[in-house]
Amino acid sequence: MTTTPTHDTVPAGADAATDDGSVTVARTCPLCEAGCGLSVTVRDGEVTRIRGDLLDVFSKGYLCPKGSTLKQLHEDPDRLRQPLVRRDGRLVPATWEEAWQAVADGLGRVIAEHGRAAVGAYVGNPNAHNLGALLYNRALLRALGSPNVFSASTVDQRPKEIATGLMFGNVLTTPVPDLDRTDHLMILGANPFASNGSFATAPDWPGRLRGIVERGGRVVVVDPRRTKTAEEATEHVPVRPGADPYLLAAMVQELFAADLVDLGTVGEYVARIDELAEAIAPFTPEAVASRCGVPADTIRRLAHELAEAPSAAVYARIGTTTSPFGTVTSWLVDVLNTCTGNLDRPGGAMFTTAAAGAANTRGLPRYGRGIRLGRRRSRVRGLPETFGELPVVALAEEIETPGEGQIRAMITVAGNPILSNPDSTRLDAAFASLDFVVAVDIYLNETTRHADVVLPAPSALQKSHYDVALLQLAVRNVANYSPPVLPLDDGQPDEWEILCTLALLLQGVAPADADPAVVDELSIRSLVESAVADEHGPVHGRDVDELLDALAPRTGPERMLDFMLRTGPYGDAFGARPDGLTLSVLEAHPHGIDLGPLQPRMPEALRSPDGMIDLAPEPLLEDLGARLRPGLDDTADGLLLIGRRHLRSNNSWMHNVEVLVKGKPRCTLQVHPDDAARHGLRDGGAAEVRSRTGAVVAPVEVTDSVMAGVVSLPHGWGHDLTGARLSVAAEHAGVNSNVLADTELFDVVSGTAVLNGIPVEVVAADA
Ligand SMILES: Nc1nc2c(c(=O)[nH]1)N[C@H]1C(S)=C(S)[C@@H](COP(=O)(O)OP(=O)(O)OC[C@H]3O[C@@H](n4cnc5c(=O)[nH]c(N)nc54)[C@H](O)[C@@H]3O)O[C@H]1N2
Ligand SMILES: Nc1nc2c(c(=O)[nH]1)N[C@H]1C(S)=C(S)[C@@H](COP(=O)(O)OP(=O)(O)OC[C@H]3O[C@@H](n4cnc5c(=O)[nH]c(N)nc54)[C@H](O)[C@@H]3O)O[C@H]1N2
Ligand code: SF4
Ligand SMILES: [Mo]
């Protein structure tokens, strides 16, 4: 099926129509967190060119090689355009009516026999970049009413969210490095030259990092690998995988020991600094040096340089969050930002003031309920829930283990856990044993091949876009909305409509009666009602129906977004601030609106119970004492496996785009020359990598860019499983590094899987 050229193919917000009938429009790239502006040219319903949008207020023309492949993704013949339903064991094309009926029957049967807990859900990464999903997944999960909800968060950022929540009262009140003004940036476990950054939204991280060095500042990169980011930095500090919390703790200890602690402007809002000082005292540079593989003098110097820089920020990402002490590490990052006087000051680590959706712009400043952890536990291993979810390290066992509450059906939305979650071989078998699986996805891949029904989402170019989540973490205050570039295919529901329909079916509504507009009405009404009830909000006490009328005739995500913008910190407050932001204003600015550099927000952004910044949250002190301190004596010196990202890859799902995968194979095992010699491996040969959970054979790349004792294999590969329909990816299959990741290795506070620092053995496997 192709898109039918109609008047709809000239999208709203079109910049210019040319003689040949082509139209060029602005569209934010939804593929990674950078959110670059794209300039998309369309002729006769077909995308003819995608370039960086020079006029985009944030990205100013920057894009990476993935951005232009929205065209290839849209046109990919393997991309699903019709639902698939399993009949006689085979997935066959079906109508939407047939698919909905199959979902209603399948889920209905499982719920009737085993209850709602028997249906689990897994929500994957692209949801974070998807306006419809961000606004309506909640309705789906509410309607499901199962305790067995999982997401990619526990193979990703959960530790960061918990540390943030404990310190500042809200999970997304995350300080981000003020990249464009800082004099000194310390980066741990992130490689923005490949990833374009995460949990600190900024198009062109590479350019912004170079900018720091060009203006005479310093960039220090702590990483077991000499990445491109490390190469371009002023200093690279190799660290043993998983040892960052020791390094950071020793830096904090040194600040206290050398009397360098300076809380700067946030001093009067900081609580429990004495408890911090006491807890951190044993972690002297000498005590941690061998554990980190970093000399004590270097640790001291790093602390002094950070404290003495005119402005500085510490920033850490996936190499530190998917590690044994992810939450403690994330906390220590912001302890350093705070104790060097860099929290909330220009050039330091600052808080975004997002135009829409930020909890820290609602309610009463300095007042909140804080976060609660472990309100319930998983059935089999008793692992704690966080923010309504169970950790994915518990997923396989919850499917396998019989008894009350066993998962017998799964709903996956934009997720590929079979490649992205730990102990994939076991999880793959667990999925195969399920009674029923429904997947909302664009591909028949390693996970969705287990589905009984696959519901295809429209391609990115067929959806509107506003980064409700990621703009809350932006290094500048920016707002940017894009309408769909291409119309939906005939009969194709929008993604939010799919999610709302699923919600209705889960509530027992018959497919023929399942009208997503009903869920939409309920969603917007509850949003308006809670805003009207917020006595500190801009529409407190207003009439709900009057506000709903003012949003007409918009529906769906646009109506929700308009409301969030209008009641947000820059909003028009429905007339109270006539010059304020609305969705119409954004529509009139297709390249986005720049709301300026980050502003100090302390203490107003705090939503902690006591209105203070907690420098020593109890659960983290506990983990520090119970696990981190004993771990100081850990002398294991076997090989540790870490991951890596490549600019032309995106987790598991963009390997079906030829222009991104052609060339040298990227799924190689990087090995230091000393280790290669020790284990008899040669460059270009093959190695078998074994862990407690499994083994893979990968091509060897001998390179001193990884430190001795560390090997690196990227994730998201292993496209050789039968039943998927990824013809290009299958030609570049690679191996799945998560076969080696172990569900028994996780950060205890957050339940987040250890994906970096996995103990492995390596042997030559040359034919
Ligand atoms: N070893 C190791 N494992 C890792 C990581 C690592 O660094 N090392 N990183 C982890 C991280 S940070 C993450 S975020 C996870 C990601 O984990 P997942 O989210 O489980 O996996 P993805 O590879 O992002 O798969 C995304 C899925 O969404 C589908 N999709 C793409 N666009 C859309 C859309 O618009 N709508 C719908 N409905 N579906 C869509 C794709 O086809 C694919 O099936 O992986 C984690 N796994
Ligand atoms: N091109 C591309 N871009 C992406 C993605 C992608 O797959 N491809 N995925 C997106 C997603 S979902 C995310 S979450 C972000 C992630 O963005 P980043 O956090 O920047 O992810 P990586 O590029 O994997 O960088 C992680 C770094 O941590 C290092 N590392 C491993 N173990 C340790 C350790 O113990 N300590 C320290 N200090 N370093 C360690 C690795 O060597 C690696 O260089 O990227 C996003 N952007
Ligand atoms: S850096 Fe990210 S947002 Fe920018 S073009 Fe590349 S994939 Fe898209
Ligand atoms: Mo991620």
Side-chain angles (χ1 to χ4, degrees):
M1 203 188 302
T2 56
T3 52
T4 24
T6 67
H7 65 283
D8 285 328
T9 52
V10 180
D15 283 345
T18 55
D19 291 346
D20 66 357
S22 27
V23 176
T24 298
V25 295
R27 187 0 166 147
T28 307
C29 177
L31 295 173
C32 87
E33 297 178 40
C36 302
L38 303 177
S39 185
V40 185
T41 304
V42 181
R43 193 176 58 212
D44 296 335
E46 196 176 313
V47 173
T48 53
R49 180 153 74 169
I50 299 185
R51 288 182 301 174
D53 178 8
L54 292 167
L55 299 177
D56 185 277
V57 295
F58 204 10
S59 63
K60 303 193 165 94
Y62 176 84
L63 86 172
C64 87
K66 295 185 296 300
S68 63
T69 65
L70 287 180
K71 171 179 163 68
Q72 284 85 340
L73 284 168
H74 177 75
E75 293 168 0
D76 187 347
D78 284 338
R79 183 173 65 79
L80 301 176
R81 291 159 172 82
Q82 204 181 343
L84 300 175
V85 173
R86 192 170 296 278
R87 304 222 191 277
D88 304 321
R90 291 189 49 238
L91 278 169
V92 295
T95 65
W96 279 95
E97 289 70 26
E98 290 164 340
W100 288 128
Q101 191 59 53
V103 172
D105 293 347
L107 291 178
R109 204 165 44 237
V110 172
I111 292 172
E113 280 175 33
H114 306 288
R116 293 189 168 271
V119 183
Y122 177 89
V123 179
N125 170 270
N127 289 288
H129 310 259
N130 183 330
L131 177 62
L134 282 165
L135 298 177
Y136 297 91
N137 265 338
R138 183 196 301 238
L140 169 62
L141 297 177
R142 282 228 176 110
L144 171 60
S146 165
N148 287 314
V149 174
F150 303 81
S151 84
S153 297
T154 49
V155 273
D156 190 350
Q157 83 288 354
R158 186 59 100 226
K160 185 98 194 143
E161 293 170 321
I162 294 175
T164 296
L166 291 171
M167 293 180 79
F168 307 108
N170 175 268
V171 290
L172 283 185
T173 305
T174 307
V176 296
D178 188 8
L179 286 184
D180 298 337
R181 291 182 289 187
T182 195
D183 297 294
H184 184 113
L185 180 65
M186 180 172 179
I187 302 180
L188 304 99
N191 182 16
F193 271 82
S195 68
N196 271 295
S198 178
F199 253 61
T201 304
D204 194 12
W205 259 84
R208 291 171 205 264
L209 290 179
R210 287 182 180 127
I212 298 172
V213 179
E214 275 159 21
R215 57 179 183 266
R218 291 179 58 79
V219 176
V220 178
V221 174
V222 179
D223 197 306
R225 257 183 79 227
R226 194 177 62 246
T227 59
K228 175 92 167 120
T229 307
E231 265 167 15
E232 299 247 354
T234 35
E235 182 174 359
H236 172 216
V237 180
V239 68
R240 287 277 293 158
D244 306 81
Y246 296 100
L247 175 71
L248 295 171
M251 288 175 69
V252 178
Q253 193 276 342
E254 175 64 14
L255 293 179
F256 281 103
D259 207 12
L260 287 171
V261 173
D262 165 16
L263 301 175
T265 56
V266 302
E268 50 181 308
Y269 320 118
V270 166
R272 290 168 54 83
I273 190 162
D274 296 340
E275 287 84 343
L276 168 72
E278 192 191 323
I280 225 77
F283 297 89
T284 61
E286 281 71 21
V288 305
S290 70
R291 184 70 174 77
C292 300
V294 182
D297 287 351
T298 305
I299 300 176
R300 274 210 174 85
R301 176 174 57 76
L302 292 173
H304 286 251
E305 285 171 356
L306 195 70
E308 283 153 17
S311 70
V314 185
Y315 164 78
R317 240 348 232 121
I318 203 87
T320 65
T321 55
T322 54
S323 75
F325 299 101
T327 314
V328 162
T329 309
S330 302
W331 160 58
L332 291 171
V333 165
D334 286 326
V335 164
L336 272 179
N337 282 323
T338 309
C339 291
T340 53
N342 283 300
L343 189 74
D344 202 40
R345 82 159 160 199
M350 301 189 76
F351 301 92
T352 315
T353 312
N360 63 33
T361 60
R362 289 194 296 270
L364 181 61
R366 297 192 77 179
Y367 180 80
R369 267 178 293 181
I371 60 161
R372 283 190 297 158
L373 302 172
R375 289 170 297 182
R376 54 188 171 79
R377 300 203 160 246
S378 69
R379 182 180 61 105
V380 179
R381 244 193 301 172
L383 301 180
E385 158 269 2
T386 57
F387 312 142
E389 292 173 14
L390 295 173
V392 295
V393 291
L395 178 52
E397 69 208 24
E398 293 296 332
I399 298 174
E400 293 161 352
T401 314
E404 180 80 27
Q406 179 185 8
I407 298 176
R408 292 160 189 273
M410 281 295 294
I411 302 173
T412 70
V413 182
N416 193 6
I418 301 304
L419 291 192
S420 64
N421 285 8
D423 201 350
S424 315
T425 310
R426 176 178 173 194
L427 191 61
D428 193 41
F431 262 70
S433 75
L434 288 164
D435 293 345
F436 192 76
V437 178
V438 49
V440 183
D441 210 284
I442 54 172
Y443 282 117
L444 185 58
N445 63 15
E446 298 75 17
T447 296
T448 61
R449 79 197 218 283
H450 289 296
D452 295 281
V453 182
V454 188
L455 304 167
S459 86
L461 291 172
Q462 296 171 306
K463 291 183 281 210
S464 60
H465 191 77
Y466 182 95
D467 271 306
V468 177
L470 302 171
L471 286 175
Q472 295 183 40
L473 303 167
V475 305
R476 261 187 98 82
N477 295 318
V478 168
N480 203 332
Y481 168 81
S482 334
V485 174
L486 299 172
L488 293 169
D489 297 348
D490 284 339
Q492 166 74 48
D494 204 340
E495 185 145 12
W496 71 271
E497 295 177 298
I498 297 175
L499 301 171
C500 291
T501 305
L502 265 176
L504 290 164
L505 300 189
L506 281 163
Q507 286 292 307
V509 175
D513 301 330
D515 179 2
V518 171
V519 179
D520 186 31
E521 290 303 324
L522 288 172
S523 303
I524 186 69
R525 186 166 278 277
S526 98
L527 194 64
V528 175
E529 280 171 356
S530 69
V532 164
D534 175 1
E535 53 180 304
H536 308 285
V539 292
H540 177 242
R542 299 273 293 265
D543 182 61
V544 171
D545 290 307
E546 175 215 322
L547 299 185
L548 287 171
D549 286 346
L551 294 166
R554 293 189 195 278
T555 58
E558 277 63 32
R559 178 168 54 176
M560 301 271 275
L561 177 61
D562 192 25
F563 185 76
M564 294 186 333
L565 289 165
R566 296 175 79 168
T567 53
Y570 314 91
D572 80 340
F574 290 88
R577 294 186 296 244
D579 296 333
L581 213 53
T582 64
L583 183 52
S584 303
V585 173
L586 282 189
E587 284 168 329
H589 293 82
H591 311 286
I593 293 184
D594 180 19
L595 300 161
L598 303 186
Q599 301 295 328
R601 287 198 64 192
M602 286 290 115
E604 160 269 318
L606 290 173
R607 292 294 182 275
S608 48
D610 60 358
M612 300 288 278
I613 300 167
D614 188 353
L615 270 197
E618 209 45 66
L620 304 182
L621 292 192
E622 213 177 289
D623 201 36
L624 192 91
R627 292 197 306 139
L628 194 71
R629 195 155 172 211
L632 258 178
D633 308 323
D634 185 351
T635 51
D637 61 353
L639 278 180
L640 295 174
L641 174 73
I642 63 170
R644 66 178 190 270
R645 282 174 164 73
H646 193 284
L647 187 59
R648 290 180 174 269
S649 177
N650 193 23
N651 293 326
S652 74
W653 68 274
M654 288 184 65
H655 298 150
N656 213 47
V657 177
E658 183 71 43
V659 292
L660 295 179
V661 287
K662 67 180 186 203
K664 275 199 308 192
R666 303 222 175 80
C667 187
T668 58
L669 184 77
Q670 294 186 336
V671 186
H672 188 271
D674 294 352
D675 293 319
R678 189 167 309 131
H679 299 284
L681 306 177
R682 59 175 184 85
D683 192 60
E688 183 173 285
V689 195
R690 300 176 188 150
S691 76
R692 190 191 73 88
T693 55
V696 298
V697 174
V700 173
E701 185 185 339
V702 176
T703 164
D704 67 2
S705 65
V706 284
M707 64 193 279
V710 175
V711 291
S712 167
L713 192 63
H715 76 286
W717 299 89
H719 303 294
D720 52 355
L721 299 177
T722 51
R725 190 199 300 162
L726 296 166
S727 47
V728 177
E731 298 286 309
H732 308 265
V735 295
N736 178 4
S737 67
N738 282 320
V739 164
L740 304 164
D742 192 333
T743 56
E744 293 195 354
L745 300 177
F746 56 90
D747 167 37
V748 167
V749 182
S750 66
T752 302
V754 172
L755 304 173
N756 285 288
I758 302 165
V760 290
E761 284 168 20
V762 173
V763 293
D766 297 334

